[in-house]
Amino acid sequence: MAPSPDPHDDPRVNARTPQTPRRLTREPNVAFRQLRGARSPGEFAAAVRRAAREIGEQVACDARYIGRVENGEIRCPNYAYERVFRHMFPGLTLADLGFSARETVRGRGARPLSAAPLLHITPRPDHPRDDPPVQRVGQSSDNHHIHQNHEESDVLRRAFMTGSTATVAAVSLGLGPASAHPVQRVGEAEVSAVEEAVRRIRLLDDRHGADGLYQRAAQPLRTAYALLDASAARRSTQERLHTGAGELAISVGWLAHDSGRFGEARSHYAEALATARLAGDAGLEAHAFCNMSFLARDMGRPREAMRAAQAGERAAHPLGSPRLLSLLALREAGGWAGLGDRSACEESLTRAHSHFARGTSPADPEWMTFFVEAELEMLQAQCWSALGDWSRAARHAHRAATVQDPHFARNLALYRAELADDLARAGAPAESAAAGQQVLDLLNQVQSTRIQAMLADTSRILAPHRASPEVAAFLERRAAVAV
């Protein structure tokens, strides 16, 4: 699940403020619109995402976000977007970009560090490494990251406390007192809170893995579905809430999936699929089928994996996203590989490459920011591994680990674990042990049952080669970590 915290920031002019009876007017951001030039909002959003990746950020920018900036709804970007915009337009200040000063938008001084973010993940005593503060390369080890999360999640924290059931979630997550006033209608604030919960879960999973996060991410999901029973102010709000709740179900399902809770993951994915069909949301339906295919493969049900991927492709075709079709073709290839059908697998891989080569599109779903070249290589490695072509699998896994952005430790650890396993099975024990050591180096940042299980399999395969100093060192260190 990442990006830096990526709320669609600061629409505080819409917050319920009884001391300010008059409606604040919005001033269009003419300067920002001029910077976009001839590009469409979708094309400009894609450029923002590319610029973010160049500096190690990952923002979920889409055409709607660009529109909200240009119409003045977002008067000041969050810190992640500010860094990206400054990278895109060197030398320009926030004022040059058409934004208001942060302190005038916030309306008060800095928040004390004792305040909690939307998804406050408190380390458990028996797992002191859960979700440590993220420190980027070149960034000093100060409290900037914590302060940023506290300040930027204020609207979302307040939004999650506006409904009676949401109040329970707020208290359970340490978001505020139990005296929050219930409301009868769902509006922008509540929907934005659900959408932000999805982004926060993806961020934490991408950087640290699912273990330790799943149980604490389930409450926002229950809240989201409770909000569906409330009355929405507008049809568009209701549609966004359905999509947000479905995406949240998929995100929580993925946390269950990645931490080995397959039955719970299956339930969450099915809930998302039902939500998609009730709302007539083809994008959400394709996403649900994509994850159901992945889960079926991991559960040893390759035919179900293949059929779920094909169903996802049927849902995705009208959406106009080549990258989504590429990912679904890779899921289908994984099903064919599990069935031992090399020819059908290769045909699906060819389609996946053809779609991927068409590049990104404004129609690409927000959740697909993870699907870059490294993931393409990793999914191919898994196909060749399932077909027993270990050397070919190792080549793809090595490529995945080489091109992966090092900021996303969970995926980097996963790709190196795949490489270690493929090399072990290909008869290269020393090289496998070296890759395994690199995975162990990342385990102080990542908590993932999937990765631990892969290392256990690799250790079992390498055990007969203990006479090798490299293998012996890896096995000894891995045993110490597993205790």
Side-chain angles (χ1 to χ4, degrees), residues 445-465:
Q445 304 175 52
V446 176
Q447 299 285 324
S448 172
T449 297
R450 175 187 299 272
I451 292 171
Q452 291 284 7
M454 293 171 72
L455 287 178
D457 284 346
T458 301
S459 298
R460 176 179 51 80
I461 298 168
L462 290 179
H465 304 279

Side-chain angles (χ1 to χ4, degrees), residues 282-283 285-286 289 310-319:
E285 182 175 346
F289 274 127
Q310 291 174 339
E313 289 175 276
R314 289 193 294 273
H317 267 294
L319 302 177

Side-chain angles (χ1 to χ4, degrees), residues 48-286:
V48 171
R49 295 194 299 270
R50 285 194 299 272
R53 289 194 292 270
E54 290 172 3
I55 61 172
E57 292 287 357
Q58 188 170 355
V59 295
C61 187
D62 55 16
R64 188 172 68 87
Y65 179 89
I66 299 301
R68 292 177 67 199
V69 171
E70 292 180 358
N71 70 22
E73 182 179 350
I74 295 175
R75 297 165 57 204
C76 182
N78 70 14
Y79 288 103
Y81 274 111
E82 179 180 350
R83 286 189 288 271
V84 175
F85 292 150
R86 287 181 181 274
H87 174 66
M88 294 177 71
F89 306 108
L92 296 187
T93 65
L94 281 179
D96 295 331
L97 295 169
F99 293 112
S100 302
R102 194 174 304 280
E103 58 272 15
T104 64
V105 174
R106 303 297 176 186
R108 59 184 179 275
R111 177 174 299 278
L113 291 179
S114 58
L118 173 63
L119 280 176
H120 179 62
I121 308 300
T122 304
R124 298 189 302 270
D126 56 330
H127 290 285
R129 292 195 304 268
D130 270 6
D131 305 318
V134 178
Q135 182 177 343
R136 293 187 179 86
V137 176
Q139 177 178 325
S140 61
S141 179
D142 57 20
N143 60 17
H144 169 78
H145 178 74
I146 300 173
H147 178 267
Q148 172 185 331
N149 287 349
H150 294 175
E151 184 178 34
E152 294 172 1
S153 62
D154 177 74
V155 168
L156 304 160
R157 182 165 51 249
R158 186 167 61 245
F160 253 120
M161 293 164 53
T162 55
S164 55
T165 305
T167 302
V168 178
V171 173
S172 68
L173 289 170
L175 305 182
S179 60
H181 299 290
V183 295
Q184 301 302 317
R185 296 178 73 80
V186 175
E188 173 70 25
E190 290 79 12
V191 175
S192 292
V194 172
E195 292 170 342
E196 170 60 11
V198 175
R199 296 187 185 100
R200 287 291 296 156
I201 288 171
R202 289 173 183 162
L203 164 69
L204 293 170
D205 173 58
D206 280 346
R207 289 185 171 171
H208 309 303
D211 287 15
L213 181 57
Y214 171 61
Q215 296 295 348
R216 287 166 283 175
Q219 182 62 61
L221 177 60
R222 289 190 287 271
T223 300
Y225 276 93
L227 290 174
L228 284 175
D229 289 331
S231 174
R234 296 188 299 271
R235 179 180 178 86
S236 60
T237 301
Q238 189 70 19
E239 290 173 349
R240 279 179 59 200
L241 184 58
H242 269 93
T243 299
E247 291 292 347
L248 191 54
I250 291 173
S251 292
V252 176
W254 165 248
L255 296 178
H257 180 176
D258 196 44
S259 54
R261 300 174 175 92
F262 290 167
E264 294 171 63
R266 192 177 181 88
S267 175
H268 288 306
Y269 291 160
E271 189 170 34
L273 180 60
T275 302
R277 289 182 164 173
L278 282 171
D281 189 330
L284 180 59
E285 182 175 346

Side-chain angles (χ1 to χ4, degrees), residues 30-45 47 66 70 89 362:
V30 178
F32 196 86
R33 174 62 186 89
Q34 290 174 341
L35 289 171
R36 174 160 67 86
R39 288 173 288 187
S40 71
E43 291 170 337
F44 191 67
I66 299 301
E70 292 180 358
F89 306 108

